[in-house]
Amino acid sequence: MNPARKRQVRLIVSLTLALALGGGLIYTSFSAADPALSPTQLLAKARPGVSYELTGTVVAGSVRHLGDGVLDFRLADRAGGGPSVPVSYSGAVPDPFRVGRELIVTVNKSGEGFVGQPNSMITKCPSKYVAAPNPKST
Amino acid sequence: MAVVGRAALILALITSLFGIGASLYGARQGRRDWIDAGRRSVYALVAILTVAIAVLEIAFISNDFAYNTVANNSSLTTPLVYRAAAMWGSQEGSLLLWVWLLSIWSSLAVFLTRNRLREVVPYAVAVLLGFGTFFTSLLVFFATPFATTAPAPLNGVGLDPLLRNPAMIIHPPMLYSGYTFFTIPFAFAVGALITRRVDAEWIGVARRFALASWLFLGIGVLLGARWAYYEIGWGGYWGWDPVENAALMPWLISTAFLHSIMIQEKRGMLKIWNASLVLGASTLAIFGTFLVRSGVLQSIHAFGASTLGVPFVSLIALMTGGSIYLVVSRRDVLRSEHRLDSLFSREAAFMLNNIVLVGLCFVIFWGTIFPLISEAVTGTTASVGPPWFDRYTVPLALVLVLLSGIGPVIPWRRATLANARRNFALPLGLALAMLIASYTVVPISSSAPTVILFCCVAFVFGSIGQEFWRGWRVRRATSSDSPATALVSMVRRNQRRYGGYIVHLGIATLFIGVAASATFQHTHYVNLSRGQSDTVGGFTFTNERPTAAIVDDPSGTGALLTLGVYLRVSRDGRYVTTEHPTAEYYPDASGAEGPVGSLIGGDAVSELALDSTWRRDISAAINAVPLQASLQTEINYANSSVTAKALAGNPTLPYILLAIIAHNYLQHPPPAPLKLASSPLVMWLWLGALIVLFGGIVAIWPPPGAVRGRVRARYLARVAREVGRA
């Protein structure tokens, strides 16, 4: 094979490989991703058997620590107002968990409420860059 | 004083703009005096911004709550060191730190190149001051750190307890140094492309600055991982969080650049690729800053809605568009001088390494911005988790580790069979031995990727060890040095090469820790009452007794109440260690939770108890939120028993009641909510990281005088060749 043709073959092979890998990447990311929803969206869309990544703020007066490490609480939209979603969660609770704080938890629909996957809770590190006035300072 | 700070920022903006104008005018007209004025603006910028940062630091240290940023991030009860560090806990303060570090590193770069790259430097100065202009404009127009309120509040909100960690003092400045340092190779690449001087002299400068930014960002990422391991992650050091990814991406691309620039240096190939890499790495560094600042993605590093999105997107668009234009319009000077001779050559190994690194970066980039893509395509935001990342990053990392053993020993241009036998016999033998061992001696055969990784690591140790051994033997034969001196002088004579080898050893060591701890970690979440036990990965944790302390705050963070348990850890009935995980509770300034509840109603932080040896880490953390909840009934009772009248008569009453609650906790402890973990070989990760940093320092350290002379002669010869060719 002459060098020019060899280079051409090399180019085609590597481009095909790159395309295949890129395609796989795109396909798997869409199929593996959990939809991230706000409480309002979740109430409108949730179907049993699907995992959702729920993002919202903890509603005041909704937090109940039950025995056996089960934690019940409700989440509302970050913007405030709107309906809230009851979540029953077990497992590790991040330290910043508190009324009014924003958190992300993976949930499945169960009856009227939602069950959080154990140890899936992430609270957002409250340190950074809150443009709105800090609720505690007012 | 706030006026001084504000004036300093405006002056800094004017200085930056003047410097850009002076540099460009000087370069166009060939006026040295204007070019020098441009360079002096960079030095002036350091002085002016130092004034601004000093004003703000003094406000933080002296608790001047008239400054909004001080009131929002510090308080009277925040200890001094954390008050000083609280500045970069805020949006405005961290932007000020960013631009201050930018000015310092820019000055260093401009100083080091004062007698070199005469044509390139003015443009590089203009680009650096362009970044300075951008960030000082943000501080002047969007997020001023010098906003004040009158009358000043009596106390501030306080620094978030999660940030009251020694890492807070050093991690942000290091990370920002890494990010800001990336603007320097960018600036010099832009300058070189504009003036069409992408030559040997430029390579030398670009490589050095790229190595420095690589080193700083690496230290920043490492400190962040270490911090997460203790504080946020409770034993996890990496979570594929957008902000972690943001720091990793430019680091990966600059790793690729540091390798492929060698091909350009030795063989004059890949010039377009190298220019793109160096421009891309810096753009990704700004992209990382944008991710942290803008709040566009959900992350543990929460960002409230911020106004900085539009300016940052504009800057990134400008950098990307400008980079593409420059590379395309200068493609005539970026033409390759040679072609690839063989797929079995060091060039090919480096190219493969580049493809893998860029592929890795693309995977991470895609996964990080996927929520945005998904929202654009399907209408709902969706994100991919760590399993998705692992599926791609694990195989790519395996290839990278293997290449780090092949690259250093495969010859340039074309490898022969004889040569392969000479260089690869020992490493392959070691890898094979590891394979056999992993099915007989070492307990890792249950995980195929881990077995492959350990074999790759054995290969790397073999090939790098062999290189050191051969070099050392030659040095011994040709000099009368003692064995140790021979090793040192061998490294000193070729610091770049041996520094790089040390980095490779460190990466291989680091991956031992990553693979073992990711695959064979055991974690349990359990509630243990006094006397109860739980066994995790062969280690038995027994809850021996509770502890409680009021105001006694061992880590000096300002916590009012500290609860904990003593855990006795044993293995096969033999005592191993005693661990003391604690939960620290901070007061809530608003008083919303009653006179007693507010004493501990603020933030809560779990302090990890960790016992590390080279073989394993055993850690225990007590879950602060549920533990506090178990005291709630008593706290409610205490709250209701403190009347306003009683409080007026005895202001210390809530503290006394809290002491009684703590005493009750000791007498009748509730079950302790614990996270218990054992992970093998985590220490190797930190050890590997330290070796990488050491190797990086060796590679960047100024070479000894004699060698420098030789390098300089070689460099002059190359310049002469290029002049001859031109």
Side-chain angles (χ1 to χ4, degrees), chain B residues 511-540:
Chain B
F511 270 105
I512 294 177
V514 171
S517 63
T519 318
F520 300 107
Q521 183 176 50
H522 296 275
T523 308
H524 280 187
Y525 294 88
V526 284
N527 286 310
L528 287 188
S529 298
R530 191 175 190 163
Q532 282 185 331
S533 303
D534 182 48
T535 302
V536 182
F539 293 94
T540 303

Side-chain angles (χ1 to χ4, degrees), chain B residues 315-356:
Chain B
L315 176 66
I316 292 167
L318 182 69
M319 287 174 76
T320 314
S323 301
I324 292 172
Y325 167 76
L326 274 177
V327 170
V328 170
S329 66
R330 302 300 191 259
R331 62 185 183 281
D332 51 327
V333 287
L334 296 173
R335 196 161 292 138
S336 246
E337 295 162 27
H338 296 280
R339 292 210 170 271
L340 190 60
D341 291 320
S342 160
L343 281 178
F344 300 96
S345 63
R346 189 173 293 186
E347 295 94 304
F350 276 22
M351 277 183 201
L352 187 57
N353 135 306
N354 267 241
I355 291 168
V356 173

Side-chain angles (χ1 to χ4, degrees), chain A residues 5-61:
Chain A
R5 186 158 168 76
K6 209 166 156 186
R7 268 200 301 281
Q8 218 170 13
V9 169
R10 229 180 252 166
L11 186 72
I12 290 169
V13 167
S14 48
L15 275 183
T16 318
L17 264 177
L19 275 181
L21 283 177
L25 197 74
I26 290 162
Y27 175 76
T28 56
S29 58
F30 275 101
S31 60
D34 288 335
L37 302 177
S38 69
T40 311
Q41 291 169 326
L42 185 72
L43 284 173
K45 287 188 186 171
R47 285 177 291 119
V50 183
S51 298
Y52 300 95
E53 218 174 68
L54 175 62
T55 305
T57 49
V58 183
V59 177

Side-chain angles (χ1 to χ4, degrees), chain A residues 6-7 10 21-22 24-26 28-37 41 45 53 55 65 68-69 71 78 91-98 101-102 104 119 122-132 134 136-137, chain B residues 72 89-91 94 157 160 162-163 176 234 292-293 298-305 339-340 362-363 366 370 373-374 377-378 380-384 388 391-392 525 527 588 601-606 623-626 629:
Chain A
K6 209 166 156 186
R7 268 200 301 281
R10 229 180 252 166
L21 283 177
L25 197 74
I26 290 162
T28 56
S29 58
F30 275 101
S31 60
D34 288 335
L37 302 177
Q41 291 169 326
K45 287 188 186 171
E53 218 174 68
T55 305
H65 289 268
D68 289 341
L71 172 68
R78 171 156 67 172
V93 183
D95 292 339
F97 177 88
R98 186 151 299 112
R101 285 275 166 83
E102 196 171 352
I104 307 169
N119 308 318
I122 302 171
T123 44
K124 302 229 246 154
C125 167
S127 63
K128 301 236 172 151
Y129 327 128
V130 188
N134 193 319
K136 279 202 293 180
S137 64
Chain B
N72 284 330
S90 71
Q91 163 101 304
S94 56
V157 177
D160 189 274
L162 276 177
L163 302 179
Y176 287 13
W234 287 5
V292 185
R293 301 290 149 223
Q298 303 279 359
S299 158
I300 191 168
H301 296 70
F303 346 94
R339 292 210 170 271
L340 190 60
F362 181 74
V363 167
W366 182 268
F370 186 73
I373 296 167
S374 146
V377 175
T378 65
T380 39
T381 330
S383 58
V384 290
W388 183 86
R391 191 188 313 181
Y392 294 97
Y525 294 88
N527 286 310
D588 172 16
D603 294 292
V605 173
S606 309
N623 209 334
V625 175

Side-chain angles (χ1 to χ4, degrees), chain B residues 2 48 51 63 72 201 206 309 323 330 411 448 471 486 520 555 592 650 662 701 711:
Chain B
I48 297 166
V51 170
N63 286 319
N72 284 330
E201 190 176 20
S323 301
R330 302 300 191 259
F520 300 107
S555 43
N650 183 0
W701 202 261
V711 169

